[in-house]
Amino acid sequence: MVSSKHSTELRRLALSVLQPGFVGTEAPDWVLREIGDGLASVVLFSRNIVSLDQVALLTAQLRAENPELIIAIDEEAGDVTRIESATGSTRPGNLALGTVDDTELTESVASDLGRQLRAVGVSLDYAPSADVNSNPDNPIIGVRSFGADPKVVSRHTAAWIRGLQSGGVAACAKHFPGHGDVAVDSHHGLPVYGADRDEIAAKALPPFRAALDAGVRAVMSGHLLVPAYDPDLPATLSPRILGDLLRDELGFDGLIVTDAIEMGAVADRFGIEGATVRAVAAGADAVCVGGENAEESMVGRLAGALEDAVADGSLTRERLEQAAARVREFATWSAGLAHADGGGTTGGDIGFAAARRAIRLTGAVTAALPLAAAPHVVEFAPTANLAIGRETPWGVAAPLSERLPGTTAVRVRRQELQPATLRACALEPAAGRPLVVVVRDVSRHTWMADALADVIAARPDAIVVEMGLPGTGLSGAVQIFTHGATAASGVAAAEVLTGAR
């Protein structure tokens, strides 16, 4: 029979390795109770955020229960934004920064973000993405990567980490051992990275080595199968990848955090509870959960699963205690970092300046720009992956309308395209006016590429703004490449169109 003391201690250990989300802009009573019972971390999502002042009140409420509580957020400061999900990010994402390729700029942008997050009480940011986007058909990384060149990604990963942590927030390099060369979204299925060890060492691992050299204190595992290291288990659940590769070969001794444990790549096969137990047994120290399952019952289920696993021997108490100790060590370190003087203030123009520098133009630009009259704007909208908030605005029409009164706009989705759609919504409203066509990852979406080709055939003078991966160019067309769909990138494109730059 287990004593109540031992049972209480075991539950505290189990709670300490969970990083759950919750619903609401104030802390629910159950979250405060669980913090009192040993929960050491929580994660904020866009549903928890209305304003910076409100977030600061929320984090203060949470930390009243535990001053060293780890408060995490998934804020990449690009297309994936939580702190600015309602307005779009005022900082460009990784691809834009990698395109500029100025590590001082990258460090400055990340430092600005770090100071903003620290000011509202965040201590851990699930960023940067250290993935090398070597597969242009990758449905989940894309512009979240600094690029397709491991050297570029490595130097900007290091710069981003230095900047964020100088601003007072711990960085977390993701998605180990590299999610860039896959063609499946791990939210829905299990991606396979089929390279051999030499190729992995040359292409995927350099940014993570650079992250460790830069002093990153957390690494997030990726839900992908890497047969060269483990043909059976995804990286998050693999002792060979988390233990042999990350701990032993690369020498990382910080906090290993899982990607969201409810994602299909692991939960579909093992269940959320089974994936949680296997992840901790494999070497993960903290389990992220609650992006989609943010109920009190989920925390109870996962803590109970860890307790049961210790009881039946599928998880050793020693491993659970080791994970809990790393969480405590990280919490103490990050609390000290949050009280350090990062210097400077936030809210400057660094994000917009960076977005402007990332703009690239092709075609007969001088003849087409600036626009001679208020244009009609057609925005082709793909379905966003689950990492990108559906509520987050993007595009060029809104900032262009502010600068050119009389601008009209329409947004077209795949399911809305009919044979007469383009003429009715794109060509006829643009008769006698400039036409601007905005696309996002057009090379990845056949329907969008076909629609764009039809528009260009009818209006060769149309100006194309690509807000995703550049892909292949359009012969003869004037194109503006923003390398991301943030609010800052939309403003930068609008400035080019109106001649403000």
Side-chain angles (χ1 to χ4, degrees):
M1 181 176 178
V2 179
S3 71
S4 60
K5 177 182 177 182
H6 287 162
S7 178
T8 300
E9 289 178 352
L10 184 57
R11 180 167 177 78
R12 291 188 71 86
L13 286 173
L15 284 171
S16 73
V17 303
L18 301 179
Q19 296 194 337
F22 58 88
V23 176
T25 55
E26 296 181 358
D29 290 341
W30 71 263
V31 171
L32 301 179
R33 286 197 305 271
E34 296 289 19
I35 294 171
D37 289 341
L39 186 68
S41 311
V42 295
V43 185
L44 303 183
F45 293 93
S46 56
R47 63 184 175 225
N48 305 119
I49 296 167
V50 173
S51 68
L52 295 177
D53 289 342
Q54 169 265 322
V55 176
L57 290 173
L58 171 59
T59 59
Q61 182 188 16
L62 291 163
R63 286 223 175 83
E65 302 297 321
N66 175 7
E68 291 193 350
L69 183 74
I70 300 167
I71 299 179
I73 195 169
D74 186 16
E75 175 59 57
E76 297 179 12
D79 288 22
V80 178
T81 180
R82 311 304 177 207
I83 206 77
E84 297 184 290
S85 66
T87 59
S89 177
T90 53
R91 302 173 183 90
N94 284 1
L95 183 61
L97 294 171
T99 298
V100 177
D101 200 11
D102 178 345
T103 54
E104 290 186 5
L105 178 67
T106 295
E107 189 168 341
S108 295
V109 170
S111 178
D112 183 65
L113 174 65
R115 292 193 298 273
Q116 183 182 60
L117 294 178
R118 185 190 68 176
V120 299
V122 171
S123 55
L124 169 62
D125 187 7
Y126 294 151
S129 167
D131 307 297
V132 179
N133 197 62
S134 48
N135 184 348
D137 290 327
N138 193 318
I140 188 64
I141 301 300
V143 297
R144 300 167 65 193
S145 168
F146 289 110
D149 183 339
K151 292 181 179 178
V152 172
V153 178
S154 294
R155 58 178 172 258
H156 287 278
T157 294
W160 211 95
I161 289 166
R162 289 193 303 268
L164 188 78
Q165 294 188 166
S166 74
V169 174
C172 178
K174 62 186 184 184
H175 307 79
F176 187 83
H179 212 300
D181 194 9
V182 300
V184 172
D185 182 346
S186 50
H187 289 90
H188 307 297
L190 179 61
V192 178
Y193 181 21
D196 61 28
R197 292 194 179 195
D198 287 343
E199 184 176 346
I200 293 170
K203 293 185 177 180
L205 294 183
F208 291 98
R209 293 184 184 275
L212 269 58
D213 290 343
V216 75
R217 296 297 291 252
V219 170
M220 177 176 281
S221 63
H223 299 330
L224 67 159
L225 194 69
V226 189
Y229 285 95
D230 192 328
D232 302 314
L233 293 171
T236 294
L237 314 182
S238 172
R240 298 178 187 176
I241 293 175
L242 300 188
D244 297 347
L245 178 57
L246 182 54
R247 292 288 189 208
D248 297 339
E249 184 177 331
L250 270 62
F252 180 61
D253 194 38
L255 189 75
I256 297 179
V257 184
T258 72
D259 204 348
I261 206 68
E262 64 260 62
M263 290 167 64
V266 292
D268 285 354
R269 178 176 172 188
F270 300 101
I272 298 177
E273 294 97 327
T276 295
V277 170
R278 285 175 175 268
V280 176
D285 305 306
V287 177
C288 174
V289 66
E292 299 170 58
N293 296 270
E295 311 84 19
E296 177 182 3
S297 60
M298 179 56 65
V299 174
R301 284 170 54 188
L302 298 188
L306 291 167
E307 293 177 84
D308 292 344
V310 171
D312 68 24
S314 56
L315 172 65
T316 67
R317 185 174 181 121
E318 179 184 17
R319 169 80 271 270
L320 185 58
E321 288 175 340
Q322 180 189 56
R326 281 209 178 90
V327 171
R328 287 194 303 273
E329 179 185 7
F330 179 90
T332 300
W333 173 83
S334 63
L337 188 67
H339 290 111
D341 180 14
T345 58
T346 62
D349 194 40
I350 184 66
F352 289 97
R356 292 178 186 115
R357 290 181 60 185
I359 293 286
R360 299 292 183 269
L361 308 173
T362 63
V365 175
T366 55
L369 299 175
L371 296 174
H376 181 59
V377 181
V378 180
E379 296 179 334
F380 290 114
T383 300
N385 62 60
L386 287 179
I388 299 172
R390 293 182 180 179
E391 74 283 356
T392 304
W394 67 277
V396 175
L400 194 53
S401 297
E402 294 174 0
R403 289 158 177 79
L404 276 181
T407 295
T408 56
V410 63
R411 180 163 288 188
V412 181
R413 295 168 178 81
R414 180 178 185 175
Q415 61 269 28
E416 299 165 343
L417 270 180
Q418 301 295 330
T421 301
L422 291 181
R423 179 162 297 281
C425 73
L427 300 177
E428 291 177 358
R433 306 167 57 191
L435 175 60
V436 176
V437 184
V438 183
V439 293
R440 192 171 181 180
D441 292 328
V442 68
S443 62
R444 288 193 51 248
H445 301 282
T446 302
W447 71 269
M448 192 185 300
D450 291 344
L452 177 61
D454 290 344
V455 172
I456 294 297
R459 284 289 301 265
D461 63 328
I463 299 169
V464 179
V465 181
E466 170 61 86
M467 302 195 78
L469 289 176
T472 56
L474 297 168
S475 178
V478 173
Q479 295 181 86
I480 300 171
F481 299 98
T482 64
H483 304 94
T486 67
S489 300
V491 167
E495 290 174 344
V496 170
L497 287 164
T498 58
R501 288 182 62 228

